[in-house]
Amino acid sequence: MTVTHSEQCKCSRWAVSLSHAFENAQLEKLFRKGVQCITQEEFDKLSKMRHREDSLAALYGRLLLREGVRKFTDCEWDEVTFGRTERGKPYIVTPESANFGINISHQARELRCIREQLLASCWSGRNETRQGTSVNTFIEVFHMFVAREVPSIQQTTQCNNKSADEYINSMAKSASVEELKQMRSQPTEAMKMVMFYRYWIFPIQCLKEAILKATGEGIMQDLNRLDFRCDFADRYKQGCFITSTSMLEDGKVQRQWIFEESFIDNNHSAAVCKEKRAPSFCTFSKDSEAKIFFSKVGFESLLDHATIINPLPQDGLQAWEDFCLKPRKMF
């Protein structure tokens, strides 16, 4: 039996690092090509950004989305187009055969962080629900995640001179009673901080951001309506792939979601929110114990199959010079 491209699992997790890009000796060449491989509208938006880090992250994000669709549909680079929901979430307009969800997230707290991540996942809905009033159906059935840096306890205390309890108290308004109990009940400062970083990303909780991105909610005023329960028997460390975490919303268990917690590398962890429902050809449908970890993608590989769709004067020289004139962020 022949398996068509549309019936192959699309679930993927990619991550890129801005710090590696800035250290790349070929950055000028890559940047000048990259800004010509996105639309004029996308280029105009990143050109208006104040800092170099934000401009490069925006470029990475656009390239990640387009390369993801190109790879998973086997179409040409210039055949990919996107739309946006009312809340700004991207969805695939063309190719029309695309039957998967795709989105990006970023972490902006420190330069050495993983800054842009892409997640693609299988989707069991119909193509026409990608447009019009049914866009929310599309958003609800794909995964989303957020990655954040996990600094050491020594780094944290030296930088801010705060105890674990002070960190926990500073975020108390957005945590449920049970979540605060879980964090505060840990026997040591180190274990309290591990639980703190497992729950939180500045300025909101990591797990909570994952579910809000997955559902398309964006920002919820009362984050303490979302109550996460972690199994302490699971070791939260590099190499882990934890799926035992559960969630309650307004006191009711939400059984339709699965939360995956893993690490991209020594310093970066990620939370993935995915719906239990998946098409029969999806890896997670075939094997409930399947694990898909993040892989890092280099600037060069994002442009391997890219073609110029928005030619700029002098091969993008002015865009590069304008980029270099922007200030760097002071962390």
Side-chain angles (χ1 to χ4, degrees):
M1 177 179 175
T2 302
V3 178
T4 65
H5 202 279
S6 63
E7 294 178 336
Q8 295 175 348
C9 183
K10 307 296 193 304
C11 295
S12 303
R13 290 131 169 81
W14 298 350
V16 296
S17 172
L18 281 192
S19 60
H20 291 168
F22 278 113
E23 295 166 359
N24 193 323
Q26 300 298 313
L27 178 58
E28 178 181 351
K29 176 183 176 181
L30 296 168
F31 181 90
R32 289 172 64 177
K33 179 179 179 180
V35 293
Q36 297 180 87
C37 295
I38 59 177
T39 66
Q40 181 66 46
E41 180 183 5
E42 292 168 338
F43 173 69
D44 290 341
K45 287 182 179 179
L46 71 87
S47 297
K48 294 176 182 177
M49 294 178 176
R50 173 174 170 75
H51 294 98
R52 267 182 272 176
E53 289 83 358
D54 293 332
S55 294
L56 188 56
L59 176 59
Y60 256 142
R62 304 289 74 76
L63 295 175
L64 276 167
L65 285 172
R66 193 171 291 272
E67 170 59 11
V69 175
R70 185 209 65 77
K71 179 178 180 180
F72 304 140
T73 62
D74 201 28
C75 69
E76 297 299 323
W77 184 271
D78 59 3
E79 294 175 350
V80 180
T81 59
F82 299 99
R84 293 272 176 175
T85 68
E86 291 182 357
R87 290 173 173 162
K89 295 296 181 183
Y91 62 91
I92 305 165
V93 176
T94 59
E96 295 183 356
S97 60
N99 63 339
F100 58 94
I102 195 165
N103 209 335
I104 56 172
S105 181
H106 70 274
Q107 213 282 17
R109 196 172 67 86
E110 296 213 25
L111 175 59
R112 65 177 179 270
C113 288
I114 301 294
R115 273 294 300 267
E116 292 290 330
Q117 308 88 29
L118 174 141
L119 182 88
S121 65
C122 296
W123 171 50
S124 57
R126 297 176 301 167
N127 285 346
E128 50 266 37
T129 58
R130 292 179 301 155
Q131 303 179 28
T133 57
S134 298
V135 163
N136 286 337
T137 303
F138 169 68
I139 293 298
E140 287 172 359
V141 297
F142 74 75
H143 323 178
M144 193 55 212
F145 73 98
V146 61
R148 80 279 194 196
E149 187 176 15
V150 184
S152 67
I153 304 304
Q154 184 178 10
Q155 287 176 323
T156 302
T157 55
Q158 285 179 348
C159 181
N160 297 298
N161 196 29
K162 287 184 180 180
S163 67
D165 285 327
E166 287 175 314
Y167 272 102
I168 294 169
N169 291 338
S170 69
M171 299 296 185
K173 290 184 179 180
S174 296
S176 70
V177 172
E178 184 62 28
E179 288 168 346
L180 290 172
K181 179 181 177 181
Q182 288 188 34
M183 287 186 278
R184 289 168 172 162
S185 64
Q186 300 305 303
T188 66
E189 284 283 293
M191 293 181 69
K192 287 181 180 179
M193 289 304 296
V194 167
M195 287 302 299
F196 176 81
Y197 281 110
R198 185 174 179 181
Y199 274 125
W200 295 88
I201 179 173
F202 300 99
I204 64 175
Q205 294 181 13
C206 180
L207 285 164
K208 294 189 178 183
E209 184 171 348
I211 180 65
L212 294 177
K213 285 183 176 292
T215 60
E217 288 292 326
I219 298 176
M220 180 182 287
Q221 294 298 321
D222 299 320
L223 287 174
N224 56 11
R225 291 174 52 202
L226 305 178
D227 183 2
F228 284 87
R229 306 294 173 88
C230 299
D231 188 343
F232 296 132
D234 291 322
R235 296 291 301 277
Y236 187 64
K237 61 180 182 178
Q238 187 176 17
C240 71
F241 195 88
I242 298 172
T243 58
S244 58
T245 298
S246 60
M247 185 194 79
L248 291 79
E249 182 173 357
D250 296 327
K252 297 180 180 179
V253 178
Q254 304 298 303
R255 303 186 187 279
Q256 72 271 36
W257 301 108
I258 295 176
F259 294 90
E260 297 174 2
E261 296 176 84
S262 62
F263 279 70
I264 299 175
D265 56 27
N266 284 326
N267 295 318
H268 301 88
S269 61
V272 176
C273 173
K274 68 178 184 182
E275 195 178 41
K276 288 184 178 179
R277 179 180 58 174
S280 59
F281 56 80
C282 178
T283 297
F284 292 105
S285 229
K286 295 177 179 178
D287 180 6
S288 60
E289 300 298 319
K291 300 178 182 180
I292 299 180
F293 291 94
F294 290 96
S295 59
K296 293 183 180 179
V297 180
F299 207 160
E300 293 90 344
S301 62
L302 284 179
L303 295 173
D304 278 347
H305 301 279
T307 56
I308 293 176
I309 59 177
N310 180 41
L312 297 175
Q314 297 180 288
D315 197 31
L317 177 60
Q318 188 61 54
W320 169 253
E321 292 178 347
D322 291 342
F323 171 77
C324 292
L325 289 174
K326 295 182 178 184
R328 296 287 296 270
K329 283 189 171 180
M330 301 298 293
F331 293 97

